[in-house]
Amino acid sequence: MNDGGYGVMRGIQNNYFGGRQYFNELHTPDYQALGEAMGVKSWKVGSAEEFRTVIQQAVDFQGPSVIELDMNSIGPLNFAGPPQKKLY
């Protein structure tokens, strides 16, 4: 799951620190290309529908495989943890 950074921290900083963002944009590799460079069957998907198809292909494949899920194509991260009244 590649969101090009540290998406959980982006959400926390957005919700609790007035949207001020600090050190959560990271340079992430192209995991599909990285897998292919190592000789591993690799996919990059950008939707839940595409993932359903590719995950079955990866399970059926005999050998290691990599699936990179482009989270920025899917949409913003919504906090899914327990409710918090105060962070600190």
Side-chain angles (χ1 to χ4, degrees), residues 1 10 14 20-22 24-25 29 32 34 36-37 39 44 46 52 54-56 62 64:
M1 299 174 77
R10 270 189 229 125
N14 214 24
R20 292 184 320 249
Q21 301 295 310
Y22 191 69
N24 59 33
E25 295 293 328
Q32 179 184 17
L34 184 61
E36 289 173 351
K44 184 174 188 172
R52 285 185 189 95
V54 169
I55 190 71
Q56 189 59 56
Q62 297 296 310

Side-chain angles (χ1 to χ4, degrees), residues 37-84:
M38 296 187 313
V40 174
K41 179 76 174 165
S42 303
W43 298 264
K44 184 174 188 172
V45 298
S47 71
E49 295 76 27
E50 190 178 7
F51 182 74
R52 285 185 189 95
T53 302
V54 169
I55 190 71
Q56 189 59 56
Q57 293 174 11
V59 168
D60 292 342
F61 182 73
Q62 297 296 310
S65 60
V66 171
I67 302 172
E68 177 179 1
L69 184 52
D70 180 2
M71 297 304 290
N72 292 321
S73 295
I74 292 177
L77 174 70
N78 295 317
F79 183 71
Q84 295 180 352

